Amino acid sequence: MQANSLSSWRTMLGVLGFSSLTLGIMAQSPAAAAERVNNVVLVHGGFVDGGGWEAVYKLLKAKGYNVSIVQNPTTTLAADVAATKAVLDTQDGPVVLVGHSYGGAVISEAGNDAKVSRLVYIAAFAPDKGESVQKLIANPSPGAPVPPILAPVNGFLMLDKAKFAASFAGDVKPERATFLANAQVPWGVEALGGEVTTAAWRTKPSWYLVTKDDKMIPPDAQRAMSKRASATVVETPGSHAIYESKPETVAALIEKAATFQH
C-alpha cells in the first residue's frame, strides 16, 4: 500500500521535475463546550495569500472562535514555518492549525509546536519525515492532470494566468478567479524542496477535506495522504480553491476538529 500511495502522490505535476456563539454552546453539552479549542490558525498554500481565507474567517468568528491568518511568504519551508510559529506564539491556549495545499507541508512541521492540539488539512499535502512537496510530486503518472506551472524564474514559480481558473479555481466566480490569477504570489522552488523533519500528524489528531474535482492535487493523492495520516476524512465536490468556493464546508470541518472530544 505504501508504494501505491507514493505512486498516487506522484500524479500531481510533472513540470517541476512541480448561528451565534450562544446557540452553538447551547447545542453542546457542558463537557463538549469545555472541550472546544477556541483558537484557529489558518495557513495558505502556494500562488495565493491569506486573503482567500476571509469567508472561512468570518464564519468561524461568528461562532466565537479566535481566528488568525498566517501570511506565510512561500519562499522556503523554514521561513513559512517560522511565520506560522510567530502567529502560534500569540495564541492564549490550544490551537487548531489548518493548512491548504502547500500549507499542509507547513503545518506538518509547525504543528509540532506545543500549542497545536489538532491539525486540519484542506486539499493539502501531508508529508512525512524527510519528504518534501517536490518529492511527493516527482515522476507523475501518464495521463495525470498537469497544473499549468510556468518554468521557474529567479527561483520562483507561477501558474499560467490564462489557465489558472480551470486548474486552481474551477468553481470560483469567474471574476474572482481572474483576480486570483493576476494577484498570484510567486511560489519559491526552495519551499517545494523543503523537507519535513518530524510529521506532526503522527502524534496529533488530524482531519482532511478531500476535493473531488481538484486539478492541482489529484483526489487519489489526497486520499492516500489522509489515510496514511489516519485522518478523519470528509469528501466534497469542488476545486482546489474549496476554501473560497465552499467556505461553509471548510469551516464545518474545522469546527469538527475544534469540538472533538478525546
Side-chain angles (χ1 to χ4, degrees):
M1 182 62 193
Q2 183 81 353
N4 290 338
S5 297
L6 286 172
S7 176
S8 66
W9 298 326
R10 290 167 178 161
T11 62
M12 178 183 167
L13 298 183
V15 277
L16 291 185
F18 163 143
S19 81
S20 69
L21 174 61
T22 301
L23 289 176
I25 292 176
M26 287 174 62
Q28 305 174 36
S29 67
E35 281 288 319
R36 184 172 110 157
V37 174
N38 203 51
N39 298 310
V40 177
V41 173
L42 307 172
V43 182
H44 66 81
F47 305 120
V48 295
D49 64 17
W53 287 115
E54 184 175 3
V56 173
Y57 167 90
K58 289 179 177 177
L59 289 168
L60 293 172
K61 288 290 286 185
K63 297 289 186 71
Y65 289 92
N66 172 40
V67 187
S68 301
I69 298 171
V70 180
Q71 292 287 9
N72 43 306
T74 66
T75 50
T76 67
L77 181 61
D80 297 329
V81 170
T84 302
K85 283 182 169 289
V87 174
L88 291 174
D89 287 344
T90 68
Q91 307 302 306
D92 61 4
V95 174
V96 178
L97 185 59
V98 184
H100 170 255
S101 193
Y102 160 72
V106 178
I107 71 169
S108 293
E109 183 72 34
N112 293 296
D113 189 283
K115 286 187 177 179
V116 177
S117 63
R118 296 151 199 199
L119 302 164
V120 180
Y121 292 84
I122 306 298
F125 290 103
D128 202 352
K129 177 181 179 180
E131 291 180 347
S132 64
V133 170
Q134 190 160 7
K135 284 184 178 180
L136 294 178
I137 63 178
N139 304 317
S141 298
V146 178
I149 299 179
L150 302 174
V153 176
N154 296 323
F156 289 94
L157 300 159
M158 296 186 76
L159 291 175
D160 184 332
K161 291 181 181 181
K163 300 176 181 178
F164 183 99
S167 61
F168 193 101
D171 55 357
V172 174
K173 291 181 179 179
E175 59 271 27
R176 175 63 179 170
T178 298
F179 173 81
L180 292 172
N182 287 290
Q184 286 184 66
V185 177
W187 190 10
V189 171
E190 288 187 28
L192 271 70
E195 297 181 1
V196 168
T197 61
T198 303
W201 49 260
R202 287 203 169 272
T203 57
K204 299 183 180 183
S206 62
W207 286 255
Y208 198 111
L209 184 64
V210 173
T211 44
K212 295 193 285 187
D213 305 309
D214 205 310
K215 300 295 191 298
M216 295 294 292
I217 305 178
D220 282 347
Q222 297 182 39
R223 294 183 184 108
M225 288 185 284
S226 61
K227 182 175 182 179
R228 182 174 67 167
S230 298
T232 299
V233 178
V234 171
E235 296 202 8
T236 184
S239 74
H240 196 58
I242 194 71
Y243 57 98
E244 293 229 25
S245 62
K246 290 188 174 180
E248 299 88 354
T249 301
V250 174
L253 184 61
I254 295 170
E255 282 202 85
K256 283 186 179 182
T259 56
F260 168 72
Q261 295 186 66
H262 295 276

